[in-house]
Amino acid sequence: MFKKEITIKSKFVIKASIISLIGASLVACGASLREYKKFANAGQEYAIALDTLLVASGNYAVDANSESLLRHGAEETVKDREEMYFKTTKQDKEWLILIGRMRQHTDLLKRYFIALENLATSDAPIQAQEVTEDIFTQLNNVSTNIQGNSLVSGTSGSALSEIPKIILSNKIKGALRKELEQRKETIYRELAIQELVLKFLTIELTKDLKSIQNNQEDRLLFRPYTAADPISDPDAWIERRRNILTMTLSIEALNDASESAKDFQEAFKLLLEDKFTIARANELLSEINSLVNLAEEIKNN
């Protein structure tokens, strides 16, 4: 059965990266404090939603494989079951490693964008530049590890091959401008990596949800219902049936997760170019609200 609640211990997945990204960019472009707070609050909600999806993708991948082991294990010999178990567990660990790398990546993005904001406001730009340089070196290493992961390595190359040219607004000055001139396209590429992996994770999460639903329907609903002995607790069976049959209602909306990540990626470009309109902002906020609702549905399934 699904866990009724997913405990989210880390607060760095997308959250502060998007908050600081938008904050630093808005500050650099001369936006008002009120606008900064509006985007910061939206970024917090967006982050919580994506954090839930990221954690869920790991939990449900393991659950889906556990259901598969139970379903097919009875048909195999002991030796075959041993091989199947170790092979499946190896796949689960690879999946969880990818998610762990994503968490590192987003934490470093958070720290990098905070460093950018400090660079824009610091009275000691040289020291701020050193911090930025160190974080970016770590970010590049984690990014390389993500792209080399066997689960995504086949698609990362083509997806990241076209990075647009970003023309900085003349409102961005000083040490911040120097930093962004050097790395703005690379930062955009790091955001593209997140969009790529999140898209991959949502596809896999969709498959895992369907797999868990099918296996649990057979194991927990159909078999007890058709067994010779009557169901011992009919009310519990009814509740379980409702939970299992409705667990995939939100699947169609999962693609919104990766689409929202792509929209934030584009928002970064527009903000630096001073082209981020109020209409575009309202559209983005609407997408965030939908994503928050989706994440809550999945978390409570």
Side-chain angles (χ1 to χ4, degrees):
M1 293 293 292
F2 276 1
K3 299 176 179 63
K4 288 294 182 179
E5 182 175 356
I6 300 172
T7 301
I8 303 174
K9 295 182 179 179
S10 101
K11 296 184 179 180
F12 50 71
V13 178
I14 302 282
K15 181 176 183 177
S17 66
I18 296 300
I19 295 171
S20 298
L21 179 160
I22 293 176
S25 300
L26 285 172
V27 169
C29 295
S32 69
L33 181 60
R34 183 173 61 86
E35 288 175 313
Y36 170 75
K37 288 181 177 179
K38 181 178 180 181
F39 278 99
N41 290 335
Q44 290 176 357
E45 294 298 317
Y46 177 76
I48 292 171
L50 284 184
D51 190 36
T52 300
L53 293 177
L54 191 59
V55 174
S57 66
N59 289 341
Y60 295 163
V62 174
D63 286 351
N65 281 338
S66 295
E67 290 285 351
S68 181
L69 286 171
L70 288 175
R71 183 178 182 86
H72 301 292
E75 304 169 1
E76 307 293 340
T77 65
V78 172
K79 182 178 180 180
D80 288 339
R81 288 201 299 271
E82 289 177 352
E83 292 179 356
M84 184 184 303
Y85 178 84
F86 288 119
K87 180 180 179 180
T88 301
T89 300
K90 181 181 179 181
Q91 293 172 347
D92 287 339
K93 289 179 179 179
E94 290 176 351
W95 184 256
L96 295 175
I97 286 173
L98 175 60
I99 291 175
R101 294 297 188 193
M102 277 293 291
R103 285 174 170 263
Q104 288 180 310
H105 188 264
T106 49
D107 180 45
L108 287 166
L109 270 177
K110 170 203 70 178
R111 292 165 55 193
Y112 181 73
F113 285 115
I114 289 174
L116 283 184
E117 187 172 358
N118 291 337
L119 195 62
T121 59
S122 175
D123 293 330
I126 295 178
Q127 288 84 344
Q129 179 67 49
E130 290 175 351
V131 172
T132 305
E133 183 76 32
D134 178 64
I135 294 172
F136 199 86
T137 299
Q138 296 179 58
L139 180 62
N140 182 65
N141 291 336
V142 174
S143 175
T144 300
N145 286 330
I146 290 174
Q147 294 174 71
N149 187 288
S150 60
L151 295 173
V152 298
S153 58
T155 59
S156 61
S158 58
L160 301 174
S161 59
E162 296 183 3
I163 302 299
K165 182 71 174 178
I166 301 174
I167 307 300
L168 286 182
S169 167
N170 289 330
K171 295 179 181 179
I172 302 177
K173 305 292 185 180
L176 178 62
R177 183 176 189 87
K178 181 179 179 181
E179 171 69 19
L180 290 175
E181 283 284 12
Q182 179 182 355
R183 294 194 172 113
K184 58 186 186 299
E185 281 83 17
T186 307
I187 299 168
Y188 185 94
R189 186 172 183 271
E190 297 301 329
L191 293 172
I193 290 173
Q194 287 205 335
E195 187 267 332
L196 168 70
V197 177
L198 285 169
K199 183 175 183 179
F200 175 72
L201 291 176
T202 56
I203 292 172
E204 294 302 312
L205 178 55
T206 298
K207 293 192 295 186
D208 290 336
L209 282 168
K210 290 180 178 178
S211 174
I212 293 172
Q213 183 184 56
N214 291 336
N215 284 314
Q216 289 190 352
E217 182 179 6
D218 177 71
R219 180 171 63 86
L220 300 174
L221 300 179
F222 181 75
R223 292 184 192 179
Y225 181 75
T226 57
D229 297 329
I231 294 174
S232 59
D233 189 343
D235 290 334
W237 185 87
I238 289 172
E239 181 179 0
R240 185 178 298 120
R241 184 170 183 268
R242 181 181 68 247
N243 291 337
I244 291 174
L245 295 184
T246 60
M247 67 172 57
T248 57
L249 286 179
S250 56
I251 277 181
E252 291 184 3
L254 276 173
N255 287 332
D256 292 344
S258 58
E259 289 301 316
S260 295
K262 185 175 181 65
D263 288 340
F264 267 114
Q265 175 187 331
E266 182 63 18
F268 171 70
K269 177 175 181 292
L270 294 176
L271 282 166
L272 294 189
E273 294 176 345
D274 199 19
K275 297 179 181 178
F276 200 65
T277 64
I278 294 299
R280 184 69 185 84
N282 290 334
E283 180 182 346
L284 194 59
L285 292 173
S286 177
E287 291 176 3
I288 291 171
N289 185 60
S290 298
L291 187 59
V292 169
N293 293 334
L294 166 65
E296 284 301 310
E297 288 180 15
I298 291 179
K299 182 180 73 173
N300 293 321
N301 277 340

